[in-house]
Amino acid sequence: MFFRILKKDLKRKKTMNVILLLFIILCSMFAAASVNNIIAVTGGIEHYFDMAGVPDISVAVENNNDEFEKELKALPSVSGIKTEKYFEVSSSRSFIHNGSKLNNFINPARLLADTDMALNYFDKDNNIIKSVEKGTFYATTSFTADTDIKEGDDIIVRLEGKEFTLTYKGYFKGALFSTETSSGPVLLVNSEDHSTLKSYGASQSLFGDPRRLYITSTDTAAVKELAEQYDHVYASTREDHKSIYLYDMLTAYIMMAISIVLMLTAFVVLRFTIGFTITEEFREIGVMKAVGIQSVSIRGLYIIKYLAISVVGALIGFFCSLPLQDMMMKTVSKNMVLGSENGSVMGAVSCIGVVAVILIFCYMCTRRVKKLSPIDAVRNGQTGERFGKKSVIHLGSSKMPSTGFLAVNDVLSAPKRFSMITLIFALCLLIVTLMSNFALTLKSEKILWAFSIPESDAHILDAELIGDMFRGDKDAYKRLMADVSETLEKEGIPGQVSISLGKNCKSYHKDNTADIMYWVTKGETVSEPKIDEGSAPRKSDEIALTGYAMKDLGAGIGDRIKADFDGEEHEFLITGKFSTFMGEGHTALLYKDIEFSSPNSSSGVQIHFDGSPDKATIDKNIARLKKAFDTDKIYNTSDMIKSMTGISDTLNTIKKMMMILTAIVTAMIVVLMERSFISKEKSEIALMKAVGVSDRSIIAQHTLRFVIVSVLACAVSLLALMPVSNVIMNFICSMIGDISGMKCDIDPIEIFVICPIMLILVTTIGAMLTALYTRTIRASDTASIE
């Protein structure tokens, strides 16, 4: 009997059941794909490191330091050392493609000979590269980013007036090479070609002889302790290197968040559907109870129905997730060699989890069955109680037209039902607007403070121009700023010039030791550093620290710490706490008078133009400076931040996908709800037709109800947008550095006009098209309650 009832119900409510099935397919598809993505990236990093042969610890040495290597070999815990030596090309302009100099990467390119490979490197098909054919090269993806370079193209390398031609064989994957757009590329070349190029440009390297040591050791702490005693020597454990793939994981977590919101939306829809079904089927439930069927059995009938729908939906969703997984993993697999042993299994487990959660939710939602009794079948689902509830608005006193009045009255008369719809629409809109805010914020001028850079209009990031600062010349930055100031004067562009420098130094507080980046801004500035607590340093013996740095040292505001600057000990008083991306958040902010030689980091030269020029004037000034300095590496603030974060474009892609998905989900919800309302209100619609109300008025009434709800949803979503955006943005940024107090930027046109109009338009069209079904109801149907 149960299965006959189930079969009848599935046939009778095709539209509702099909839409519910589509929701479950979407939930299962996104859950399976995103869980697989997260597992593939987080677990895949370990798998990738094993395949590449990444050792326990590696050390980057950025100068000729034989003494360090001698002491390293003497450590009893060290059982093996492999060395990779690099030849550095300081500027992208040294590479020429089709007659044009490259300008797509900022940091120096490093060339590695195939005979010096200490790890396993892989081509695009995940094959280990054993050697590189003479006259060819492989490169990491940042070398060809934003270019039309393709396999087989010739690249001319011009060094010190000499030229050498290499053929591009494709990108390669290096486990410890960053593929972010802001990172310098690595080129893998034949050993003979490497020697030739090095002889051409021996003076190219910013550091004497950059190399990386891959160390097998049973005591990584001892290696780190030894490295901290030397300048330009940086030790990183296997675990430390996993931060290279932070942005790959971030995309996966965003997609997981999307699937969770979709599941929440599906549950609200499911709650509405179950509640509506139970309310509509009061007669069937009352009769079943009258003939002795228990509430548990009746609830089981509904659970079996939704079990059938959810199992079918989960199966379809699982198979649909496979191409989605491939699409989501496309970028990640370009950077990593991933194992896929458990991908399908975890996808299946995710789908099973969706089914289980739906069943639990169904069981909770069917509790209302207990309240229905056989007498409800006689009383048309009413308990007989009357509360005399008054309507908020009255037709006699209302100045609205009858159609508008009926629509508003319907919404006010069923607040719980329409509140659920409002919540669903608000969640859908919130996803799109969040993505818009994130994408805009991560290229916004308003977050310049998060890079510990003073207010600026233009940024010179050409490694060739600023390279002398990293060669041990203490006065190099002064000459560079003087050169920029002189150029500004010649071009008739008044402005202030500053430069921000960083240096990793060993720091001490009581029994704690930490490697912290010390950051200082030199030159003329027009803004003070943003301090979260306390105050900015005002003297040469004062300092501000990030929360991470304070935790590293076990110190706080008011404490004194010591730092080793090139063998000279300095003592500082902590006066404040600040936030920054620099140094991954383990950073100290110095007073501008502090001097140190050979910095190992810089955010380039900043220029603040006088007179608060508009964007057009700033771009015009930048164009003139590019010509004067013969470089394309001068950016406005927005473009500079975009290149530093490297995630804005990814979020823009997700935003566009979510706009499409939101339109689809909204349309599905509208169709489901409106068909439910028409089914429930069949007698009322028939009565309205009997008293002469036209089809057009009825369709307008039903459409207007959803318009009202969508407008309310827009208001709710926009009110919640900024608080939610700021909380999530601070969480995302804390994964990159030590950030608090981040405020999201906003595009008013997109947030307050485009997105709401999209939601209201989809809702209006969906409701109007679905409401056309009311034309099939006749005046004679007033006696029908089926």
Side-chain angles (χ1 to χ4, degrees):
M1 179 183 71
F2 279 180
F3 288 103
R4 285 200 304 271
I5 296 173
L6 176 62
K7 184 178 179 181
K8 179 183 176 183
D9 184 80
L10 290 173
K11 284 184 176 180
R12 185 164 59 95
K13 298 178 179 176
K14 288 181 182 179
T15 303
M16 293 177 64
N17 293 330
V18 166
I19 293 176
L20 191 59
L21 177 66
L22 290 174
F23 266 106
I24 295 171
I25 290 172
L26 282 173
C27 289
S28 303
M29 183 172 70
F30 275 89
S34 53
V35 166
N36 175 71
N37 199 356
I38 291 172
I39 291 172
V41 174
T42 53
I45 294 172
E46 198 67 36
H47 169 83
Y48 183 24
F49 282 7
D50 288 339
M51 291 187 66
V54 176
D56 309 309
I57 190 169
S58 68
V59 177
V61 182
E62 296 186 337
N63 58 12
N64 297 308
N65 201 322
D66 297 332
E67 185 63 29
F68 166 73
E69 292 192 42
K70 183 179 178 181
E71 288 195 44
L72 179 64
K73 292 175 182 176
L75 289 177
S77 62
V78 174
S79 57
I81 301 175
K82 293 181 179 179
T83 304
E84 286 184 347
K85 296 181 179 180
Y86 304 99
F87 164 56
E88 198 170 69
V89 177
S90 61
S91 174
S92 64
R93 293 182 297 170
S94 297
F95 299 93
I96 302 169
H97 175 244
N98 291 339
S100 300
K101 297 176 181 179
L102 298 189
N103 62 0
N104 58 314
F105 56 89
I106 298 169
N107 289 305
R110 290 189 170 187
L111 278 64
L112 174 64
D114 57 354
T115 53
D116 284 343
M117 295 186 297
L119 301 182
N120 291 327
Y121 298 115
F122 305 86
D123 62 20
K124 65 177 183 179
D125 298 317
N126 295 336
N127 299 312
I128 295 176
I129 299 173
K130 300 291 185 182
S131 62
V132 181
E133 184 182 348
K134 196 172 185 304
T136 66
F137 75 101
Y138 294 91
T140 53
T141 53
S142 54
F143 181 78
T144 56
D146 300 322
T147 70
D148 58 353
I149 297 174
K150 57 184 180 298
E151 288 183 41
D153 285 359
D154 288 338
I155 304 295
I156 297 174
V157 186
R158 183 179 294 163
L159 302 172
E160 307 296 336
K162 299 177 182 179
E163 294 185 353
F164 193 89
T165 302
L166 293 171
T167 302
Y168 179 58
K169 288 196 68 174
Y171 69 87
F172 82 98
K173 306 173 186 180
L176 303 188
F177 295 145
S178 173
T179 56
E180 293 302 317
T181 53
S182 58
S183 63
V186 179
L187 279 64
L188 198 56
V189 299
N190 179 271
S191 58
E192 293 183 30
D193 296 337
H194 186 273
S195 298
T196 302
L197 287 166
K198 189 170 183 180
S199 68
Y200 287 175
S203 62
Q204 280 280 321
S205 181
L206 297 182
F207 305 101
D209 187 15
R211 58 196 185 278
R212 178 174 272 171
L213 312 179
Y214 299 95
I215 304 160
T216 303
S217 173
T218 56
D219 188 359
T220 56
V223 176
K224 269 198 163 186
E225 186 175 347
L226 176 63
E228 288 170 354
Q229 298 174 18
Y230 291 87
D231 290 329
H232 301 297
V233 176
Y234 310 102
S236 302
T237 63
R238 187 175 164 117
E239 191 65 28
D240 294 335
H241 286 303
K242 292 182 180 179
S243 63
I244 294 172
Y245 301 97
L246 174 66
Y247 292 113
D248 296 315
M249 290 187 285
L250 192 58
T251 303
Y253 284 120
I254 290 173
M255 295 302 293
M256 189 66 200
I258 290 171
S259 66
I260 290 172
V261 174
L262 278 173
M263 287 184 67
L264 290 174
T265 305
F267 291 154
V268 177
V269 171
L270 186 62
R271 170 68 181 85
F272 173 85
T273 305
I274 293 173
F276 172 80
T277 302
I278 291 173
T279 301
E280 187 184 39
E281 296 179 353
F282 62 88
R283 174 170 291 179
E284 290 87 340
I285 294 171
V287 170
M288 283 191 283
K289 285 196 171 185
V291 298
I293 299 176
Q294 300 296 317
S295 294
V296 174
S297 299
I298 299 172
R299 294 175 75 178
L301 174 63
Y302 288 102
I303 291 173
I304 289 173
K305 169 188 171 180
Y306 294 111
L307 172 63
I309 294 174
S310 60
V311 167
V312 173
L315 284 172
I316 297 173
F318 171 71
F319 289 109
C320 290
S321 73
L322 299 179
L324 181 61
Q325 288 176 24
D326 293 338
M327 183 189 73
M328 290 171 65
M329 295 300 293
K330 186 176 181 180
T331 301
V332 181
S333 61
K334 193 173 183 179
N335 301 336
M336 300 170 61
V337 179
L338 298 173
S340 57
E341 296 87 1
N342 300 319
S344 298
V345 174
M346 294 311 301
V349 169
S350 302
C351 293
I352 292 171
V354 171
V355 173
V357 172
I358 288 174
L359 291 182
I360 294 171
F361 192 76
C362 285
Y363 183 78
M364 294 172 60
C365 292
T366 54
R367 285 178 297 185
R368 190 179 175 188
V369 170
K370 293 181 180 180
K371 299 179 181 180
L372 294 175
S373 64
I375 199 65
D376 289 305
V378 179
R379 290 178 172 170
N380 289 343
Q382 302 297 322
T383 60
E385 295 175 317
R386 295 291 182 269
F387 297 100
K389 184 173 66 174
K390 294 182 179 180
S391 176
V392 177
I393 58 175
H394 303 279
L395 182 60
S397 59
S398 174
K399 296 181 179 180
M400 290 187 291
S402 59
T403 300
F405 175 85
L406 290 173
V408 173
N409 188 62
D410 287 346
V411 173
L412 295 177
S413 299
K416 189 174 181 180
R417 180 192 308 164
F418 285 98
S419 293
M420 280 193 289
I421 303 173
T422 303
L423 176 61
I424 295 170
F425 289 168
L427 285 173
C428 292
L429 183 62
L430 189 62
I431 296 175
V432 178
T433 50
L434 282 173
M435 292 300 105
S436 175
N437 277 8
F438 296 162
L440 184 63
T441 301
L442 290 175
K443 64 176 183 180
S444 170
E445 300 176 4
K446 295 180 180 179
I447 67 168
L448 186 62
W449 61 266
F451 297 91
S452 299
I453 297 174
E455 183 181 328
S456 315
D457 299 311
H459 306 261
I460 302 176
L461 300 177
D462 193 313
E464 192 171 18
L465 290 175
I466 67 176
D468 286 344
M469 295 189 305
F470 304 109
R471 296 190 175 101
D473 187 345
K474 190 174 182 179
D475 296 323
Y477 81 86
K478 296 178 182 177
R479 291 195 301 272
L480 177 59
M481 288 200 304
D483 185 33
V484 174
S485 296
E486 185 180 342
T487 303
L488 287 173
E489 188 175 346
K490 286 181 180 178
E491 294 293 327
I493 306 173
Q496 288 81 41
V497 179
S498 64
I499 188 167
S500 298
L501 308 171
K503 183 178 180 67
N504 287 80
C505 299
K506 187 136 183 199
S507 308
Y508 313 88
H509 175 66
K510 295 182 179 179
D511 296 330
N512 299 310
T513 302
D515 187 25
I516 293 174
M517 174 176 281
Y518 286 78
W519 197 257
V520 63
T521 297
K522 299 288 189 177
E524 301 171 289
T525 61
V526 295
S527 62
E528 291 290 325
K530 183 176 181 293
I531 301 296
D532 300 330
E533 296 178 26
S535 61
R538 302 292 182 186
K539 303 181 199 175
S540 57
D541 65 341
E542 294 181 348
I543 198 170
L545 294 180
T546 61
Y548 290 175
M550 288 184 181
K551 185 176 180 182
D552 292 339
L553 292 169
I557 296 175
D559 290 336
R560 288 189 174 273
I561 65 169
K562 294 180 180 179
D564 183 357
F565 286 7
D566 302 318
E568 183 180 345
E569 187 177 274
H570 291 255
E571 184 173 302
F572 298 102
L573 172 67
I574 304 174
T575 61
K577 176 184 175 185
F578 75 110
S579 300
T580 187
F581 287 126
M582 309 310 292
E584 296 183 353
H586 304 270
T587 308
L589 186 63
L590 296 165
Y591 183 60
K592 62 182 180 180
D593 286 352
I594 289 291
E595 297 282 351
F596 47 67
S597 62
S598 59
N600 51 36
S601 181
S602 174
S603 59
V605 180
Q606 291 85 46
I607 304 170
H608 179 83
F609 301 126
D610 291 347
S612 301
D614 57 19
K615 185 179 183 302
T617 304
I618 290 173
D619 290 340
K620 183 180 178 180
N621 289 344
I622 289 174
R624 291 169 63 185
L625 291 175
K626 285 181 177 180
K627 186 176 180 180
F629 285 104
D630 188 26
T631 179
D632 290 318
K633 303 298 192 310
I634 304 178
Y635 304 91
N636 60 37
T637 299
S638 179
D639 288 341
M640 188 278 292
I641 292 174
K642 182 179 176 181
S643 68
M644 296 284 278
T645 59
I647 196 174
S648 178
D649 289 340
T650 301
L651 293 179
N652 261 321
T653 302
I654 295 175
K655 179 189 72 175
K656 291 173 184 176
M657 182 187 71
M658 286 313 304
M659 291 184 79
I660 297 172
L661 188 61
T662 298
I664 295 171
V665 169
T666 302
M668 288 166 51
I669 293 169
V670 170
V671 173
L672 172 64
M673 301 299 187
E674 177 58 15
R675 282 301 302 268
S676 302
F677 291 154
I678 292 173
S679 177
K680 180 179 177 60
E681 299 167 8
K682 185 175 180 179
S683 296
E684 288 88 336
I685 295 170
L687 181 61
M688 292 174 69
K689 289 192 174 186
V691 298
V693 179
S694 67
D695 285 334
R696 181 178 296 180
S697 296
I698 295 172
I699 292 170
Q701 175 197 345
H702 282 240
T703 302
L704 190 55
R705 292 190 300 194
F706 280 94
V707 173
I708 294 169
V709 168
S710 62
V711 171
L712 290 174
C714 291
V716 171
S717 179
L718 295 177
L719 285 173
L721 175 61
M722 292 314 296
V724 174
S725 293
N726 292 335
V727 169
I728 298 177
M729 177 54 68
N730 276 278
F731 173 75
I732 291 173
C733 290
S734 68
M735 298 173 70
I736 305 170
D738 184 1
I739 293 291
S740 61
M742 181 71 75
K743 302 294 184 183
C744 282
D745 201 359
I746 189 170
D747 181 349
I749 299 298
E750 186 168 286
I751 296 300
F752 296 108
V753 179
I754 296 176
C755 292
I757 286 178
M758 180 196 73
L759 179 72
I760 295 170
L761 195 60
V762 170
T763 302
T764 302
I765 294 173
M768 184 169 59
L769 293 177
T770 309
L772 293 175
Y773 184 75
T774 57
R775 291 178 175 177
T776 63
I777 299 175
R778 296 166 297 178
S780 58
D781 292 325
T782 51
S784 173
I785 62 169
E786 294 298 323

